[in-house]
């Protein structure tokens, strides 16, 4: 009796599901290239197919994600395809992934995390603190909006949607005076050199899991999960686990301005800063943790529970 080898061939390629934006495709290509490097048979022509799937979040460009319904807008259709067996794995920006996944699916692999910080862009090179009163900052992120207004309540923040290139074009055309983008996406698109400044975490605490690429698969798909196992970055997994613990405890979504950044320290322990804000930036609650790596999830849940307990009622109401 012969045993089939766990190889996807050109007859049955390994299918990667992704959104169609330039950044999403760059992340899918990185995943493809890493798979090919780890498994030579997957580097052969036709061994991997990239399947572009349009999501609800891609279709809605006239309002913020919070107004459209929060998280899941960039993942639902891709997860439906995964559950239906139309793709074998889904590549996501982890900051877009809800904390509760559909039954039978899991994030089984995290690629090495890119720079998690935010980048600042302004048309005339002004920093956040140098912008004139009343200047317009464009962002669809409530987290960025809240932190901008916390430091500069005299600025006007307006929704700015679209992919990286679209938002930079709108800035150049004068639709806004400044905007913010994730450094990770800019680096993956080789656009990081255009940033006015990189914002350190003490100025702009990043979104939970910003800069991390997560790969979602069917839990029962042992073949695909086995192929992905060599690609998983243990350090990224620890950091994302801690940060998503904060989000889980706060029931976080795009409707809630929440930020967190965990690090693995030289001695193997971890630390984390976490924050929740009102959308107008007037209320800010912060906490920090130092913990053993094995306690990443527990520390995140505990930090989130602390923030939730210290928040005034109705802080996340979007007017």
């Amino acid at each position: 009796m012969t045993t089939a080898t766990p190889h996807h061939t050109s007859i049955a390629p390994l299918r990667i599901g992704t959104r169609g934006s330039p950044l999403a495709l760059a992340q899918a290509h990185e995943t493809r290239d890493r798979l090919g490097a780890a498994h030579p048979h997957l580097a052969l022509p036709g061994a991997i197919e990239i399947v572009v799937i349009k999501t609800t979040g891609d279709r809605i460009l006239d309002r913020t994600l919070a107004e459209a319904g929060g998280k899941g807008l960039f993942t639902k259709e891709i997860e439906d395809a995964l559950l239906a067996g139309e793709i074998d794995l889904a590549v996501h920006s982890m900051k877009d992934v809800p904390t509760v996944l559909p039954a039978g699916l899991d994030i089984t692999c995290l690629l090495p995390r890119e720079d998690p910080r935010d980048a600042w862009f302004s048309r005339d090179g002004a920093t956040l603190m140098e912008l004139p009163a009343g200047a317009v900052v464009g962002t669809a992120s409530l987290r960025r909006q809240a932190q901008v207004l916390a430091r500069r309540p005299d600025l006007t923040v307006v929704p700015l949607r679209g992919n990286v290139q679209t938002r930079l074009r709108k800035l150049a055309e004068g639709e806004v005076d400044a905007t913010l983008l994730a450094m990770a996406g800019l680096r993956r698109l080789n656009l990081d050199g255009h940033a006015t400044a990189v914002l350190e975490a003490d100025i702009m605490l990043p979104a939970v899991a910003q800069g991390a690429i997560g790969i979602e698969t069917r839990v029962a798909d042992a073949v695909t999960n086995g192929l992905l196992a060599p690609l998983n970055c243990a350090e990224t997994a620890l950091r994302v686990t801690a940060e998503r613990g904060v989000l889980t405890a706060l029931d976080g979504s795009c409707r809630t301005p929440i930020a967190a950044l965990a690090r693995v320290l030289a001695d193997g322990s971890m630390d984390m800063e976490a924050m929740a804000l009102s959308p107008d930036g007037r209320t800010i609650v912060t906490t920090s943790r130092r913990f053993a790596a094995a306690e990443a999830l527990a520390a995140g849940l505990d930090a989130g529970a602390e923030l939730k307990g210290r928040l005034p009622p109705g802080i996340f109401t979007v007017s």
Side-chain angles (χ1 to χ4, degrees), residues 174-290:
E175 186 170 321
V176 296
D177 298 305
T179 190
L180 302 95
L181 293 164
M183 272 297 293
L186 294 166
R187 288 172 67 95
R188 290 184 175 118
L189 293 170
N190 296 313
L191 294 173
D192 49 305
H194 297 279
T196 303
V198 181
L199 302 180
E200 298 299 335
D202 60 345
I203 301 295
M204 181 69 59
L205 196 62
V208 165
Q210 185 158 295
I213 296 173
I215 303 176
E216 187 176 20
T217 62
R218 294 180 293 274
V219 175
D221 186 352
V223 172
T224 300
N225 293 335
L227 293 170
L228 289 168
L231 277 59
N232 188 57
C233 175
E235 178 176 323
T236 299
L238 287 170
R239 297 172 69 189
V240 168
T241 295
E243 293 168 25
R244 281 170 65 81
V246 175
L247 206 59
T248 298
L250 280 162
D251 302 318
S253 75
C254 285
R255 296 176 182 272
T256 53
I258 296 166
L261 182 63
R263 300 178 300 165
V264 176
L265 306 176
D267 64 1
S269 67
M270 299 182 66
D271 68 7
M272 181 171 63
E273 301 290 328
M275 172 190 296
L277 310 88
S278 59
D280 61 10
R282 293 177 183 171
T283 301
I284 305 173
V285 182
T286 64
T287 189
S288 61
R289 291 287 186 282
R290 177 80 180 263

Side-chain angles (χ1 to χ4, degrees), residues 35 56 199:
L35 280 165
T56 302
L199 302 180

